[in-house]
Amino acid sequence: MAPPVPGRRSADSTEDARVARTRADVGRAALQVLTEESWDAITHAHVADVAGYSKTTLYTHWPSRLDLVTIALDAVGEMPHLEPTGELRTDLIAELTAFRRAVSDYKLDRILIVLAQWGVTVDEIRRIRERLVTEGERPLRSMLATVAQGPSFDAAVSMLSGVVVCATLMWDELPSDEVIAAAVDIVLDGV
Amino acid sequence: MAPPVPGRRSADSTEDARVARTRADVGRAALQVLTEESWDAITHAHVADVAGYSKTTLYTHWPSRLDLVTIALDAVGEMPHLEPTGELRTDLIAELTAFRRAVSDYKLDRILIVLAQWGVTVDEIRRIRERLVTEGERPLRSMLATVAQGPSFDAAVSMLSGVVVCATLMWDELPSDEVIAAAVDIVLDGV
């Protein structure tokens, strides 16, 4: 990154702040369209309309539909991160509870479904999905790495993600606090 | 059911067999369109084309698009059922292995994704999904009911389904034999 140029800093900061705000607004609008409408509804015209910006502004900063999807997923990335306490059971429960909240607040399940549908055929979507899942699973993986290895580790990661994702995908229901706690206890006793 | 009418039985059986064959052919074609193309591609004209029947035949037996989706999912229902051995660990591993095969052979993950996408807004699809998931989970649920109750039971069902579904949904990968066995061991030791 280039060092700040004296005298231009303030103008740049204003400019940067404006672009960042536009990016956040457009990203949220694109995310809303993606989760509440559909993949096909992600067009510059429609997202501009929902975000309250001109189509030209969108084309200038994010020329392709994939760019719009990318900043939509960046809006997901703004999910709050938890400070681990160091107590594994507590931290795993907190992590799954945060995951559940992401599904209800950010419709993360819809996003995974859209990405799964398109990731199979579109390489760029596949990469976006891999990044999202990698980032999303990182805390869970690092916690579980302290108690499991090899196939047990892979199984434990899928099972704990599954307790949130499966209920949603198969039943359109979120797991209760009791079910999340039971899942963590099963994994901690079983590995 | 009415008793068979003497003298008409043979003609009826021939008719029944023909309709059953058409239904199976059209169901498989509709399933193929649903999993390899998209929901939107399920039209009478296109499914008739893929199945090698006339559009009129399809409209006569299955007037709505939902009828086509329903027989497509009936084609999934033809999955082989396993004979339980009575040894829980063996049977759970066999069940998850069959589930994994259903995902790879019948693209069950695509079907769940399509149903999840539409089930939220279309009541009839929601019911189809509930029936499919209920039927699909029945063996797993009855096996796990012998070792877990309450939240532990719900968690175990989601976790074992999750070991197959999550890897597919998030990573587009199927779990290995070792990961399936590890998941079953974690659940059996943990509940």
Side-chain angles (χ1 to χ4, degrees), chain A residues 72-104:
Chain A
L73 297 176
D74 286 347
V76 180
E78 289 162 18
M79 286 185 288
H81 277 283
L82 297 165
E83 209 54 59
T85 66
E87 208 280 297
L88 188 58
R89 180 176 186 274
T90 307
D91 290 343
L92 283 171
I93 289 176
E95 184 61 28
L96 292 188
T97 307
F99 185 19
R100 180 181 66 184
R101 200 169 52 239
V103 169
S104 64

Side-chain angles (χ1 to χ4, degrees), chain A residues 101-122:
Chain A
R101 200 169 52 239
V103 169
S104 64
D105 292 1
Y106 295 82
K107 305 205 173 130
L108 194 56
D109 57 322
R110 308 272 97 199
I111 295 166
L112 284 171
I113 284 171
V114 169
L115 292 177
Q117 236 176 350
W118 288 87
V120 176
T121 45
V122 183

Side-chain angles (χ1 to χ4, degrees), chain A residues 38-40 99 109-110 112-114 116-120 126 129-130 133-134 137 141 150-156 158-172 176 178-180 182-191, chain B residues 38-40 99 109-110 112-114 116-120 126 129-130 133-134 137 141 150-156 158-172 176 178-180 182-191:
Chain A
S38 71
W39 181 268
D40 296 326
F99 185 19
D109 57 322
R110 308 272 97 199
L112 284 171
I113 284 171
V114 169
Q117 236 176 350
W118 288 87
V120 176
R126 183 191 294 272
R129 172 165 77 150
E130 278 176 10
V133 173
T134 304
E137 283 188 350
R141 285 183 176 268
S152 291
F153 172 77
D154 289 338
S158 284
M159 289 163 96
L160 288 185
S161 300
V163 88
V164 177
V165 170
C166 271
T168 313
L169 182 66
M170 295 184 159
W171 295 106
D172 208 21
S176 65
E178 290 72 26
V179 169
I180 286 181
V184 169
D185 287 335
I186 290 171
V187 163
L188 290 181
D189 289 350
V191 290
Chain B
S38 71
W39 181 268
D40 295 327
F99 186 19
D109 56 323
R110 308 271 97 200
L112 284 171
I113 284 170
V114 169
Q117 239 179 344
W118 288 87
V120 176
R126 183 190 294 271
R129 172 166 76 150
E130 279 176 10
V133 173
T134 304
E137 283 188 349
R141 284 181 178 268
S152 291
F153 172 77
D154 290 338
S158 284
M159 290 162 94
L160 288 184
S161 301
V163 88
V164 177
V165 170
C166 272
T168 313
L169 182 67
M170 295 184 160
W171 294 107
D172 208 22
S176 65
E178 290 72 27
V179 169
I180 285 181
V184 168
D185 287 337
I186 289 171
V187 164
L188 290 181
D189 289 349
V191 291

Side-chain angles (χ1 to χ4, degrees), chain B residues 8-189:
Chain B
R8 287 210 42 199
R9 196 181 207 166
S10 155
D12 272 5
S13 301
T14 313
E15 174 71 16
D16 285 355
R18 192 161 48 224
V19 173
R21 198 174 57 234
T22 306
R23 186 188 168 89
D25 290 344
V26 174
R28 269 194 304 274
L31 184 62
Q32 185 187 327
V33 171
L34 192 65
T35 54
E36 293 180 7
E37 299 179 52
S38 71
W39 181 268
D40 295 327
I42 296 264
T43 63
H44 286 79
H46 186 49
V47 172
D49 198 38
V50 172
Y53 286 87
S54 78
K55 218 164 67 173
T56 311
T57 302
L58 266 65
Y59 272 117
T60 305
H61 293 291
W62 306 285
S64 75
R65 289 179 70 211
L66 269 176
D67 294 331
L68 295 179
V69 174
T70 306
I71 62 167
L73 297 176
D74 285 347
V76 180
E78 289 162 18
M79 283 185 290
H81 278 283
L82 297 165
E83 208 55 59
T85 66
E87 208 281 297
L88 188 57
R89 181 176 186 274
T90 308
D91 290 343
L92 283 172
I93 289 175
E95 185 62 29
L96 292 188
T97 307
F99 186 19
R100 181 181 65 185
R101 198 168 53 238
V103 169
S104 64
D105 292 1
Y106 295 83
K107 304 201 173 136
L108 194 57
D109 56 323
R110 308 271 97 200
I111 295 166
L112 284 171
I113 284 170
V114 169
L115 292 177
Q117 239 179 344
W118 288 87
V120 176
T121 46
V122 184
D123 267 357
E124 216 156 346
I125 302 289
R126 183 190 294 271
R127 281 192 293 273
I128 291 175
R129 172 166 76 150
E130 279 176 10
R131 202 179 57 215
L132 182 75
V133 173
T134 304
E135 290 300 321
E137 283 188 349
R138 197 186 301 281
L140 190 60
R141 284 181 178 268
S142 68
M143 287 179 215
L144 288 171
T146 62
V147 289
Q149 290 79 39
S152 291
F153 172 77
D154 290 338
V157 171
S158 284
M159 290 162 94
L160 288 184
S161 301
V163 88
V164 177
V165 170
C166 272
T168 313
L169 182 67
M170 295 184 160
W171 294 107
D172 208 22
E173 276 173 12
L174 290 168
S176 65
D177 288 347
E178 290 72 27
V179 169
I180 285 181
V184 168
D185 287 337
I186 289 171
V187 164
L188 290 181
D189 289 349

